[in-house]
Amino acid sequence: MELYAWLFMRVSGIVLLFLALGHLLIMHVIHNVETIDYHFVAHRFMTPFWRTYDLVMLWLALLHGLNGARTLIEDYVGVRGWRVFSLASLYILGFIFLALGSLVILTFQPVGG
Amino acid sequence: MKVTLKIKRFNPEKDEKPWWAEYTVEAEPTDRLLDALNAIKWYQDGTLSFRRSCMHGVCGSDAMLINGSNALACKVLLKNLGENIKVEPMRGFRVARDLMVDLEPFFDKYKQVKPYFITHSVTPEKERQQSPAERERFDDTTKCILCGACTTSCPSFWANPEYIGPAAIVNAHRFVFDSRDEGREERLEILNHRDGVWRCRTIFNCVEACPRGINVTRAIGEVKKALMFRKL
């Protein structure tokens, strides 16, 4: 199990490097932050490509961060009760964010053109 | 030159908590720290306790925390330490007395990785042959003297004493990559445990601490890779 977690961190890290750089380039270099509004995002989400791009980035970034936090908790929270509590909170929070984010990306319908 | 040594001392039979003792020693700049410690023990304070045996950087008895870094007292020269030197026992193990720590848990971990040849095949009539290239593959990790400097410099180990530790992994590496050994699978299985190699966070303290210059983090990385390619 730890092996797969370790491997996931490496692979997701490399993929995220490109995804996040791409994201940064589009959102902050090519387009000015001030020009990014609802219409910009709605227009982007018309194509399945950008939905997939954002969905992959959401899953990889969130799971990558969660696994990092899990590692920290396992290393530094020595008391068993606190460890179980911290890990449970982390997993519940992670699941909520993952579900909410995915729901938005997958079911988004532009309103008002 | 005159050097002042601040030594962290603790006698569990007498002291409630560790305390700092200060000694001034007249020494040559080319003397080793161990010479200064011996001078204290022999001429100033016989109660100071530390381990040493060969005094030539081979037996690995006198690893300690010197000016904040793990090193062998018999390998560091006073001229490289300055006039005020701080000496403490290695971190992460119970202090038995002064600069001596209880290494039982350290050797328990070492034994866990089965640091001996395992063979299942029929014993050949003569020796088990190995090419120079095959020998070279694990040459770096044969240098380990089990001083404990790497394991006790590792933050992952400080955080979790259950972690098998760099020294045990180095010694497993020595057999895992030995073409004559046939216990690779069982050894890798032990290291695949959650308190095995995966606790390593590649902090590289072990590489800096190793008095034998072993690239410990690389050895751990190679074991991780071996585990990965075995499963995939």
Side-chain angles (χ1 to χ4, degrees):
Chain A
M1 188 60 207
E2 286 294 323
L3 185 151
Y4 296 109
W6 179 83
L7 191 64
F8 170 77
M9 287 307 258
R10 267 85 202 150
V11 175
S12 62
I14 294 168
V15 177
L16 273 171
L17 189 70
F18 294 104
L19 290 180
L21 275 179
H23 181 81
L24 187 83
L25 203 71
I26 294 161
M27 296 301 199
H28 300 280
V29 180
I30 298 174
H31 298 278
N32 199 322
V33 190
E34 287 134 36
T35 63
I36 295 172
D37 54 9
Y38 178 82
H39 293 294
F40 179 86
V41 178
H43 182 71
R44 241 164 77 97
F45 272 12
M46 303 250 283
T47 56
F49 174 80
W50 288 113
R51 283 200 198 221
T52 316
Y53 188 104
D54 281 6
L55 193 70
V56 171
M57 194 157 67
L58 168 80
W59 274 72
L60 289 184
L62 205 60
L63 291 177
H64 189 96
L66 280 174
N67 193 37
R70 176 189 72 95
T71 309
L72 280 173
I73 291 171
E74 287 200 339
D75 269 2
Y76 292 106
V77 184
V79 184
R80 203 187 126 77
W82 276 111
R83 192 168 58 237
V84 172
F85 171 76
S86 315
L87 285 173
S89 316
L90 184 76
Y91 294 149
I92 291 169
L93 215 64
F95 177 78
I96 292 172
F97 281 137
L98 212 55
L100 208 64
S102 307
L103 189 78
V104 171
I105 293 175
L106 292 173
T107 62
F108 176 81
Q109 297 289 339
V111 279
Chain B
M1 75 189 270
K2 220 178 210 148
V3 287
T4 307
L5 286 100
K6 225 175 139 188
I7 302 176
K8 200 178 208 177
R9 302 203 49 184
F10 179 62
N11 180 352
E13 286 171 12
K14 281 200 330 213
D15 304 325
E16 262 183 33
K17 54 181 187 181
W19 54 284
W20 292 95
E22 234 179 80
Y23 304 95
T24 306
V25 183
E26 189 61 50
E28 294 295 324
T30 48
D31 278 350
R32 305 156 303 173
L33 175 68
L34 184 63
D35 297 314
L37 290 174
N38 277 336
I40 296 168
K41 181 152 180 84
W42 294 338
Y43 305 112
Q44 293 187 32
D45 185 349
T47 65
L48 177 68
S49 300
F50 51 91
R51 284 196 189 97
R52 86 270 185 277
S53 183
C54 81
M55 310 208 275
H56 287 85
V58 178
C59 73
S61 302
D62 61 353
M64 47 189 80
L65 193 63
I66 303 161
N67 281 352
S69 315
N70 275 355
L72 298 180
C74 61
K75 269 195 93 174
V76 280
L77 302 184
L78 292 177
K79 64 176 180 184
N80 297 327
L81 293 172
E83 282 165 15
N84 295 299
I85 306 166
K86 229 166 140 180
V87 190
E88 298 161 70
M90 294 190 289
R91 290 184 182 133
F93 286 123
R94 184 183 65 82
V95 176
R97 192 166 160 175
D98 297 339
L99 301 173
M100 299 192 322
V101 292
D102 177 13
L103 285 170
E104 273 314 313
F106 176 77
F107 286 105
D108 284 344
K109 304 266 173 54
Y110 170 63
K111 286 172 205 152
Q112 271 179 37
V113 301
K114 307 187 177 183
Y116 40 80
F117 269 113
I118 299 173
T119 51
H120 308 293
S121 55
V122 184
T123 312
E125 223 168 89
K126 285 185 179 172
E127 73 272 24
R128 290 176 195 270
Q129 288 197 339
Q130 188 167 54
S131 71
E134 284 169 332
R135 175 62 180 73
E136 186 60 32
R137 179 68 191 85
F138 60 95
D139 187 66
D140 201 32
T141 45
T142 60
K143 297 178 198 155
C144 178
I145 53 173
L146 293 167
C147 64
C150 57
T151 296
T152 56
S153 72
C154 172
S156 293
F157 169 73
W158 300 336
N160 187 345
E162 294 303 309
Y163 171 38
I164 198 156
I169 302 172
V170 159
N171 283 281
H173 178 284
R174 183 249 168 274
F175 289 99
V176 165
F177 291 95
D178 189 326
S179 59
R180 298 164 296 181
D181 185 73
E182 291 160 9
R184 183 186 168 96
E185 283 304 308
E186 46 187 302
R187 241 177 240 114
L188 284 177
E189 210 38 67
I190 296 161
L191 295 170
N192 195 22
H193 192 257
R194 65 201 309 268
D195 289 322
V197 286
W198 308 115
R199 285 260 177 214
C200 168
R201 314 276 180 241
T202 53
I203 295 162
F204 286 91
N205 273 13
C206 49
V207 179
E208 260 176 56
C210 180
R212 306 283 294 166
I214 301 171
N215 195 336
V216 184
T217 308
R218 169 184 281 187
I220 300 174
E222 286 176 353
V223 173
K224 284 176 181 168
K225 244 193 224 168
L227 274 166
M228 192 178 79
F229 288 117
R230 187 185 66 141
K231 283 269 160 111
L232 296 179

